Amino acid sequence: KKIFGGVTALKTWQLKRINGFSNQFWGWGGEDDDLYMRVRKAGFNIARYPKEICRYKMFNHEHEAGNSVNRGRWKYLKNSSLKNSELDGLSNLRYKLEGVTSNYLYTNITVTLEPVSFLNAVKKTKLH
């Protein structure tokens, strides 16, 4: 019942309220656990529909080259995740828009992410 991730749907206002995803997770793992904690902290209900209504199958896959396991994820989740959720996420996201391509069923938005040191984000927030 506590597995969270894979396929998740949030309304825009909900994503803004939880400050989106953390920017501290690079590599594989932890971001879905952090999102789960943000959703619970905000008091949102998590609907888990029966398999007769909604289901998906995860494909077996290997970790992609260049997307190694994030070995520090458990330490961050345990010690910092919820404490920093209001400062870390949409509020400190930095990116450069590279392009927008409209397709029939979706729009592909390509960006280059600019990693932000969380300590710098905290310092900037405290100054303002």
Side-chain angles (χ1 to χ4, degrees), residues 49-62:
Y49 295 100
K51 65 181 180 181
E52 294 80 23
I53 296 173
C54 180
R55 64 180 168 189
Y56 76 97
K57 179 168 176 58
M58 183 178 75
F59 295 106
N60 289 332
H61 61 284
E62 300 288 325

Side-chain angles (χ1 to χ4, degrees), residues 29-43:
E31 75 287 343
D32 49 354
D33 298 305
D34 180 77
L35 187 67
Y36 171 81
M37 292 191 295
R38 290 170 182 244
V39 166
R40 299 299 296 162
K41 179 181 177 182

Side-chain angles (χ1 to χ4, degrees), residues 50-126:
K51 65 181 180 181
E52 294 80 23
I53 296 173
C54 180
R55 64 180 168 189
Y56 76 97
K57 179 168 176 58
M58 183 178 75
F59 295 106
N60 289 332
H61 61 284
E62 300 288 325
H63 290 291
E64 301 89 13
N67 191 26
S68 60
V69 173
N70 181 348
R71 303 226 181 268
R73 69 189 184 276
W74 299 118
K75 182 178 178 182
Y76 182 78
L77 285 166
K78 180 180 176 186
N79 297 323
S80 302
S81 183
L82 282 181
K83 294 177 207 169
N84 300 327
S85 64
E86 293 175 13
L87 302 174
D88 172 37
L90 292 173
S91 63
N92 73 334
L93 178 64
R94 303 292 175 259
Y95 62 92
K96 178 182 174 193
L97 181 64
E98 300 290 347
V100 177
T101 307
S102 296
N103 295 295
Y104 182 67
L105 295 176
Y106 65 95
T107 300
N108 184 19
I109 301 170
T110 304
V111 300
T112 300
L113 294 177
E114 300 172 7
V116 175
S117 165
F118 183 71
L119 292 176
N120 288 339
V122 171
K123 287 176 188 174
K124 287 179 185 176
T125 303
K126 287 182 179 178

